Coordinates of all heavy atoms in Angstrom, one line a residue:
L210 N 13.3 -23.1 7.2 CA 12.7 -21.8 7.4 C 13.7 -20.7 7.3 O 13.4 -19.6 6.7 CB 12.0 -21.7 8.8 CG 10.7 -22.5 9.0 CD1 10.3 -22.5 10.5 CD2 9.6 -21.8 8.2
K211 N 14.9 -20.9 7.8 CA 15.9 -19.9 7.7 C 16.3 -19.7 6.2 O 16.5 -18.5 5.8 CB 17.2 -20.3 8.5 CG 17.1 -20.1 10.0 CD 18.4 -20.5 10.6 CE 18.3 -20.3 12.1 NZ 19.6 -20.7 12.8
L212 N 16.4 -20.8 5.5 CA 16.8 -20.7 4.1 C 15.7 -19.9 3.3 O 16.0 -19.0 2.5 CB 17.0 -22.1 3.5 CG 17.4 -22.1 2.0 CD1 18.7 -21.4 1.8 CD2 17.5 -23.6 1.6
V213 N 14.4 -20.3 3.5 CA 13.3 -19.6 2.8 C 13.3 -18.2 3.1 O 13.2 -17.3 2.2 CB 12.0 -20.3 3.1 CG1 10.8 -19.5 2.6 CG2 11.9 -21.7 2.5
A214 N 13.4 -17.8 4.4 CA 13.3 -16.4 4.8 C 14.5 -15.6 4.2 O 14.3 -14.5 3.8 CB 13.3 -16.3 6.3
L215 N 15.7 -16.2 4.2 CA 16.9 -15.6 3.7 C 16.7 -15.3 2.2 O 17.0 -14.2 1.7 CB 18.1 -16.4 4.0 CG 19.4 -15.8 3.5 CD1 19.7 -14.4 4.1 CD2 20.6 -16.7 3.7
V216 N 16.3 -16.3 1.5 CA 16.2 -16.2 0.0 C 15.1 -15.1 -0.3 O 15.4 -14.2 -1.2 CB 15.8 -17.5 -0.6 CG1 15.3 -17.3 -2.1 CG2 16.9 -18.5 -0.6
L217 N 14.0 -15.1 0.4 CA 13.0 -14.1 0.1 C 13.4 -12.7 0.5 O 13.0 -11.7 -0.2 CB 11.7 -14.5 0.9 CG 11.0 -15.8 0.4 CD1 9.8 -16.1 1.2 CD2 10.6 -15.6 -1.1
R218 N 14.1 -12.6 1.6 CA 14.6 -11.2 1.9 C 15.6 -10.7 0.9 O 15.7 -9.5 0.6 CB 15.2 -11.3 3.3 CG 14.2 -11.4 4.4 CD 14.6 -11.0 5.8 NE 14.9 -9.5 5.7 CZ 15.6 -8.9 6.7 NH1 16.1 -9.5 7.6 NH2 15.7 -7.6 6.6
L219 N 16.4 -11.6 0.4 CA 17.4 -11.2 -0.7 C 16.6 -10.8 -1.9 O 17.0 -9.8 -2.6 CB 18.3 -12.4 -1.0 CG 19.4 -12.7 0.0 CD1 20.2 -13.9 -0.3 CD2 20.4 -11.5 0.2
V220 N 15.6 -11.5 -2.3 CA 14.7 -11.2 -3.4 C 14.2 -9.8 -3.2 O 14.1 -8.9 -4.1 CB 13.6 -12.2 -3.7 CG1 12.6 -11.7 -4.7 CG2 14.2 -13.5 -4.2
N221 N 13.7 -9.6 -2.0 CA 13.1 -8.3 -1.7 C 14.1 -7.1 -1.7 O 13.8 -6.0 -2.0 CB 12.4 -8.3 -0.3 CG 11.2 -7.3 -0.2 OD1 10.3 -7.4 -1.0 ND2 11.4 -6.4 0.7
F222 N 15.3 -7.4 -1.2 CA 16.4 -6.4 -1.2 C 16.6 -5.9 -2.7 O 16.8 -4.7 -2.9 CB 17.7 -7.0 -0.7 CG 18.8 -6.1 -0.7 CD1 18.9 -5.1 0.3 CD2 19.8 -6.2 -1.6 CE1 20.0 -4.2 0.3 CE2 20.9 -5.3 -1.6 CZ 21.0 -4.3 -0.7
V223 N 16.5 -6.8 -3.6 CA 16.7 -6.4 -5.0 C 15.4 -5.7 -5.5 O 15.5 -4.7 -6.3 CB 17.0 -7.7 -5.9 CG1 17.0 -7.3 -7.4 CG2 18.3 -8.3 -5.5
L224 N 14.2 -6.2 -5.1 CA 13.0 -5.7 -5.7 C 12.6 -4.3 -5.1 O 12.1 -3.5 -5.8 CB 11.8 -6.6 -5.4 CG 11.6 -7.8 -6.3 CD1 10.5 -8.7 -5.8 CD2 11.4 -7.4 -7.7
E225 N 13.0 -4.1 -3.8 CA 12.5 -2.9 -3.2 C 12.8 -1.6 -3.9 O 11.9 -0.7 -4.1 CB 13.0 -2.8 -1.7 CG 12.3 -1.7 -0.9 CD 12.6 -1.9 0.6 OE1 13.4 -2.8 1.0 OE2 12.1 -1.1 1.4
P226 N 14.1 -1.3 -4.3 CA 14.3 -0.1 -5.0 C 13.7 0.0 -6.4 O 13.3 1.1 -6.8 CB 15.9 -0.1 -5.1 CG 16.3 -1.5 -5.0 CD 15.3 -2.1 -4.0
I227 N 13.5 -1.2 -7.0 CA 12.8 -1.2 -8.3 C 11.4 -0.8 -8.2 O 10.8 0.0 -8.9 CB 13.0 -2.6 -9.0 CG1 14.5 -2.9 -9.2 CG2 12.2 -2.7 -10.3 CD1 14.7 -4.3 -9.7
L228 N 10.7 -1.4 -7.2 CA 9.3 -1.2 -6.9 C 9.1 0.3 -6.5 O 8.1 0.9 -6.8 CB 8.8 -2.1 -5.9 CG 8.7 -3.6 -6.3 CD1 8.3 -4.5 -5.1 CD2 7.7 -3.8 -7.5
A229 N 10.1 0.8 -5.7 CA 9.9 2.2 -5.3 C 10.0 3.2 -6.4 O 9.3 4.2 -6.4 CB 11.0 2.5 -4.3
R230 N 10.7 2.8 -7.5 CA 10.9 3.7 -8.6 C 9.8 3.4 -9.7 O 9.3 4.4 -10.3 CB 12.3 3.6 -9.2 CG 12.6 4.5 -10.3 CD 14.0 4.5 -10.7 NE 14.3 5.4 -11.8 CZ 14.6 6.7 -11.6 NH1 14.6 7.2 -10.4 NH2 14.9 7.5 -12.7
F231 N 9.5 2.1 -9.9 CA 8.6 1.8 -11.0 C 7.3 1.1 -10.6 O 6.7 0.4 -11.4 CB 9.4 0.9 -12.0 CG 10.6 1.5 -12.5 CD1 11.9 1.0 -12.1 CD2 10.6 2.5 -13.5 CE1 13.0 1.6 -12.6 CE2 11.8 3.1 -13.9 CZ 13.0 2.6 -13.5
G232 N 7.0 1.2 -9.3 CA 5.8 0.5 -8.8 C 4.5 1.1 -9.0 O 3.6 0.9 -8.3
G233 N 4.3 1.8 -10.1 CA 3.0 2.3 -10.5 C 2.9 3.8 -10.2 O 3.7 4.4 -9.4
P234 N 2.0 4.4 -10.8 CA 1.8 5.9 -10.7 C 1.2 6.3 -9.3 O 0.4 5.6 -8.8 CB 0.9 6.3 -11.8 CG 0.0 5.0 -12.0 CD 1.0 3.9 -11.7
K235 N 1.7 7.4 -8.8 CA 1.1 8.0 -7.6 C -0.2 8.6 -7.9 O -0.4 9.1 -9.0 CB 2.1 9.0 -7.0 CG 1.7 9.6 -5.7 CD 2.8 10.5 -5.2 CE 2.4 11.0 -3.8 NZ 3.5 11.9 -3.2
R236 N -1.2 8.5 -7.0 CA -2.5 9.1 -7.3 C -2.3 10.6 -7.4 O -1.7 11.3 -6.6 CB -3.4 8.8 -6.1 CG -4.9 9.1 -6.4 CD -5.8 8.5 -5.4 NE -5.5 9.0 -4.0 CZ -5.5 8.2 -3.0 NH1 -5.8 6.9 -3.1 NH2 -5.2 8.7 -1.8
T237 N -2.9 11.1 -8.5 CA -2.7 12.6 -8.8 C -3.9 13.4 -8.3 O -3.7 14.6 -8.2 CB -2.6 12.8 -10.3 OG1 -3.8 12.2 -11.0 CG2 -1.3 12.1 -10.8
E238 N -5.0 12.8 -8.0 CA -6.2 13.5 -7.5 C -6.5 13.0 -6.1 O -6.3 11.8 -5.8 CB -7.3 13.4 -8.4 CG -7.1 14.0 -9.8 CD -8.3 13.9 -10.7 OE1 -9.3 13.3 -10.2 OE2 -8.3 14.4 -11.8
P239 N -7.1 13.8 -5.2 CA -7.5 13.3 -3.9 C -8.5 12.1 -4.0 O -9.3 12.1 -5.0 CB -8.2 14.5 -3.3 CG -7.7 15.7 -4.1 CD -7.5 15.2 -5.5
F240 N -8.5 11.3 -3.0 CA -9.5 10.2 -3.0 C -10.8 10.8 -2.7 O -11.0 11.8 -2.0 CB -9.1 9.3 -1.8 CG -9.8 7.9 -1.9 CD1 -9.3 6.9 -2.7 CD2 -10.9 7.6 -1.1 CE1 -9.9 5.7 -2.8 CE2 -11.5 6.4 -1.2 CZ -11.0 5.4 -2.1
P241 N -11.9 10.3 -3.3 CA -13.2 10.9 -3.2 C -13.6 11.1 -1.8 O -13.6 10.2 -0.9 CB -14.2 9.9 -3.9 CG -13.3 9.2 -4.9 CD -11.9 9.1 -4.2
A242 N -14.0 12.4 -1.4 CA -14.3 12.7 -0.1 C -15.7 12.1 0.3 O -16.5 11.9 -0.6 CB -14.3 14.2 0.1
I243 N -15.9 11.9 1.6 CA -17.2 11.4 2.0 C -18.1 12.6 2.2 O -17.9 13.5 3.0 CB -17.1 10.7 3.4 CG1 -16.3 9.4 3.2 CG2 -18.4 10.4 4.0 CD1 -16.0 8.6 4.4
R244 N -19.1 12.7 1.3 CA -20.1 13.8 1.3 C -21.3 13.5 2.1 O -21.9 14.5 2.7 CB -20.4 14.2 -0.1 CG -19.2 14.8 -0.9 CD -19.6 15.1 -2.3 NE -19.9 13.9 -3.1 CZ -19.0 13.2 -3.7 NH1 -17.7 13.5 -3.6 NH2 -19.4 12.1 -4.4
D245 N -21.8 12.3 2.1 CA -23.0 11.9 2.9 C -22.6 11.5 4.3 O -21.9 10.5 4.5 CB -23.7 10.8 2.2 CG -25.1 10.5 2.7 OD1 -25.4 10.9 3.9 OD2 -26.0 10.0 1.9
E246 N -23.1 12.3 5.3 CA -22.6 12.1 6.7 C -23.1 10.8 7.2 O -22.6 10.3 8.3 CB -23.1 13.2 7.5 CG -22.3 14.5 7.3 CD -20.8 14.3 7.5 OE1 -20.4 13.8 8.5 OE2 -20.0 14.7 6.5
V247 N -24.1 10.1 6.6 CA -24.6 8.8 7.1 C -23.4 7.8 7.0 O -23.4 6.9 7.8 CB -25.8 8.3 6.3 CG1 -25.4 7.9 4.9 CG2 -26.5 7.2 7.0
L248 N -22.5 8.0 6.1 CA -21.4 7.1 6.0 C -20.4 7.2 7.1 O -19.5 6.4 7.2 CB -20.6 7.4 4.7 CG -21.5 7.2 3.4 CD1 -20.7 7.6 2.2 CD2 -22.0 5.8 3.2
R249 N -20.6 8.2 8.0 CA -19.7 8.4 9.1 C -20.3 7.9 10.4 O -19.7 8.1 11.5 CB -19.3 9.9 9.3 CG -18.5 10.4 8.1 CD -18.1 11.9 8.4 NE -17.4 12.4 7.3 CZ -16.0 12.4 7.1 NH1 -15.3 11.8 8.0 NH2 -15.5 13.0 6.1
V250 N -21.5 7.3 10.4 CA -22.2 6.9 11.6 C -21.9 5.4 11.9 O -22.0 4.6 11.0 CB -23.7 7.0 11.4 CG1 -24.5 6.6 12.6 CG2 -24.1 8.5 11.0
P251 N -21.4 5.1 13.1 CA -21.1 3.7 13.5 C -22.3 2.8 13.3 O -23.5 3.3 13.4 CB -20.7 3.8 14.9 CG -20.2 5.2 15.1 CD -21.1 6.0 14.2
A252 N -22.1 1.5 13.1 CA -23.2 0.5 12.9 C -24.2 0.5 14.0 O -25.4 0.4 13.8 CB -22.6 -0.8 12.7
V253 N -23.7 0.5 15.3 CA -24.6 0.5 16.4 C -25.5 1.7 16.5 O -26.7 1.6 16.9 CB -23.8 0.3 17.7 CG1 -23.2 -1.1 17.8 CG2 -22.8 1.4 18.0
E254 N -25.0 2.8 16.1 CA -25.9 4.0 16.0 C -26.8 4.0 14.9 O -28.0 4.4 15.0 CB -25.0 5.3 16.0 CG -24.1 5.5 17.2 CD -23.3 6.7 17.1 OE1 -23.6 7.6 16.3 OE2 -22.3 6.8 17.9

């Protein structure tokens, strides 16, 4: 377990700055707002 955890953390140490820079585009537009208020009502209500 120690060996697996150590290896994976080392892999992540290398990956983290790469993913932070090249991990896909940031969303440029707001997420669609909830317009229908029924979508804000709890299930029990």
Side-chain angles (χ1 to χ4, degrees):
L210 286 171
K211 284 183 176 180
L212 181 62
V213 169
L215 178 60
V216 169
L217 292 177
R218 290 201 66 196
L219 289 173
V220 169
N221 205 62
F222 179 77
V223 174
L224 279 178
E225 190 167 4
I227 298 173
L228 293 173
R230 185 172 179 85
F231 304 106
K235 189 174 183 179
R236 193 167 57 221
T237 57
E238 296 183 0
F240 198 79
I243 294 176
R244 293 179 294 274
D245 191 334
E246 289 303 308
V247 72
L248 300 175
R249 297 180 182 271
V250 181
V253 292
E254 294 181 19

